[in-house]
Amino acid sequence: KVLEVSIREPNHPVLKYVYKNLMDFENLLLKHFIGFYNENESEIKKYLYISWTLWAFLVYKERKVGLPIPFYSSITNTDKVITFNYTSFAHQTFQDVTYFHGDLKKYIRLDNRNQIEIDNYTSFDIVEFIKDIVGSNINFENKRFVIPSIIPPLKLKPVLSNEYINIWYHAVESIRNSEKIIIVGYSFNYADEHFNDLIRKNRDKNICIIDPFAETVIKNLERIFSHRLSDYTKSRIQKKETFQNGNLKIIKAYAHDINIDEIFSQM
């Protein structure tokens, strides 16, 4: 009932809490996912409630935003895109998109690893979906569970379905075969070391990172490039403060303030 209220009433305190504490929800997913490994029913119940609440909230917010996304309009449609976002915006905009951590349009049945795409995703009733589809596919006696196709923020990423093997392989090939790499809004946290290692193995390529918290990114990049802040030379790109060391550039800016296509042409 709380879930239904939070979705149908945008100003309800529960919905405001979810929005304000989105990162806390990720930490809760991390905390309770272990229940599927040790068959702890209490932990599994918590994970199911938290993950589907987060999923419902994100789907709701996605519909409120709508296209076009200003940042996406500055990227050529033929570029290969790897996204850590779960929303369908990238899929609706680009031809070649890899959802590295999953997407909202799919859910997974854990006992057989089947991944199912949600029918009529852009207009289905969120609450009815929770009641009719999610509810009917969860059975604790038979250990049958469905979860959103969202990879929890674990340092060792679980393979929720076989499809993720293909997804990650496609990401590896896209980066390996690229000449230029632009990374936007990604902080290189240790929890994402599986992706950080892809950059580490391709650090000889032309790489441009766009992030308003450039100094934090530089600190996290020490594990990959071994560069300290004093090793970078300051400059400006599109009037934004930039840190550069060899073929690596870090632009201190929000994505929507930068023309990505112009950056590509200058790399």
Side-chain angles (χ1 to χ4, degrees), residues 91-208:
H91 177 75
Q92 296 180 57
T93 307
F94 305 110
Q95 296 176 5
D96 191 333
V97 181
T98 301
Y99 278 87
F100 203 81
H101 281 167
D103 66 272
L104 300 175
K105 302 190 306 298
K106 299 176 182 178
Y107 60 98
I108 296 170
R109 177 170 161 171
L110 285 182
D111 58 332
N112 58 21
R113 304 290 174 170
N114 282 341
Q115 184 163 247
I116 301 97
E117 186 161 347
I118 298 173
D119 183 47
N120 196 27
Y121 174 77
T122 57
S123 59
F124 75 99
D125 188 288
I126 300 173
V127 175
E128 290 303 316
F129 178 84
I130 294 288
K131 292 178 179 178
D132 298 340
I133 304 300
V134 177
S136 63
N137 280 297
I138 293 178
N139 187 305
F140 280 86
E141 183 177 348
N142 296 327
K143 297 181 180 179
R144 187 178 73 240
F145 311 108
V146 289
I147 63 173
S149 184
I150 295 176
I151 299 288
L154 301 166
K155 294 178 182 178
L156 295 176
K157 303 299 181 185
V159 181
L160 296 181
S161 75
N162 290 334
E163 185 173 331
Y164 279 102
I165 298 175
N166 295 327
I167 288 172
W168 293 335
Y169 176 77
H170 183 68
V172 170
E173 289 298 291
S174 295
I175 293 175
R176 179 185 298 158
N177 296 326
S178 66
E179 296 179 0
K180 307 171 182 178
I181 301 172
I182 293 181
I183 301 171
V184 178
Y186 175 71
S187 61
F188 294 89
N189 286 326
Y190 186 64
D192 291 316
E193 190 63 18
H194 62 305
F195 184 81
N196 295 346
D197 195 48
L198 297 184
I199 302 302
R200 182 179 291 109
K201 292 177 179 178
N202 293 274
R203 58 185 178 183
D204 58 324
K205 298 180 182 294
N206 290 316
I207 299 176
C208 180

